[in-house]
Amino acid sequence: MASQRVFQLGLRRAAGPSFRFQPVGRMVQRRLANSQASGRVSQETGEEILAKQRLNRPVSPHLSIYRPQITWYASGLNRLTAVILSGGLYLFGFAYLAAPTLGWHLESTSIVAAVAAWPLWAKASAKFAVAMPFFFHSVNGLRHLAWDFGVGFKNPTVAKTGWAAVGATFALSVYYSFFS
């Protein structure tokens, strides 16, 4: 209902400046820039009025007064892992397209042969570096999918599922990196 009302008001205002509309049942507050009869204010007077208004504005608290929560970190990490995964995909895709021109060998057999020559710790580290963002983004995506269905919105549940996502990410990444 409210969105229809806003749309109707917008259409009426767009009809032209000569059309004046007074809403029925609801008062619309209008703030005029100047209460003087002339309607014009000098630049210095306007700056003084603005400075006085700024002194009376409430100050928003900074994020530093709030206690950090798992949802903050999970939300930020979910976005960061999305950037890492998609950025890596685009980087490899462009490199694969440019490889014939630049003389690089990015065919599957060349990559497998190169990685096979690495020591075991380097292979596991590379797998872990790729697995962590992938599994976190996937597990946290399932958590967000549950939220889309309206499941798990209470604060204790949100905290538990956040830490469960971190634990599942670590467990899946370790299993993938060292046992598969």
Side-chain angles (χ1 to χ4, degrees):
M1 181 72 179
S3 62
Q4 291 175 345
R5 182 88 170 136
V6 170
F7 181 69
Q8 289 173 351
L9 287 174
L11 285 178
R12 288 181 179 135
R13 288 184 186 144
S18 62
F19 183 83
R20 295 286 178 217
F21 171 75
Q22 290 294 332
V24 178
R26 182 182 274 188
M27 295 297 296
V28 176
Q29 180 181 3
R30 296 177 190 253
R31 291 180 55 189
L32 303 175
N34 186 9
S35 61
Q36 298 175 354
S38 66
R40 307 289 293 169
V41 178
S42 67
Q43 181 73 23
E44 295 81 22
T45 308
E47 289 176 5
E48 290 174 14
I49 292 171
L50 185 60
K52 288 178 185 176
Q53 288 176 347
R54 285 181 178 156
L55 291 175
N56 293 328
R57 290 182 186 162
V59 178
S60 296
H62 192 267
L63 289 176
S64 63
I65 70 164
Y66 297 109
R67 191 181 66 168
Q69 299 174 6
I70 184 66
T71 52
W72 297 6
Y73 296 119
S75 177
L77 281 175
N78 198 38
R79 294 167 193 219
L80 183 66
T81 55
V83 169
I84 290 169
L85 292 169
S86 60
L89 178 69
Y90 281 118
L91 187 66
F92 180 77
F94 288 135
Y96 188 79
L97 291 175
T101 306
L102 300 174
W104 297 342
H105 294 283
L106 293 180
E107 302 87 17
S108 298
T109 54
S110 299
I111 293 174
V112 168
V115 173
W118 292 359
L120 187 60
W121 66 268
K123 289 180 200 177
S125 298
K127 284 173 75 173
F128 192 78
V130 173
M132 271 299 261
F134 176 77
F135 283 122
F136 183 79
H137 194 74
S138 299
V139 171
N140 207 38
L142 292 174
R143 183 173 168 234
H144 278 269
L145 188 62
W147 288 352
D148 289 342
F149 285 108
V151 177
F153 272 123
K154 294 186 178 172
N155 284 339
T157 308
V158 168
K160 287 177 186 175
T161 58
W163 286 111
V166 170
T169 298
F170 187 74
L172 288 169
S173 299
V174 167
Y175 177 77
Y176 175 76
S177 300
F178 297 108
F179 301 111
S180 68

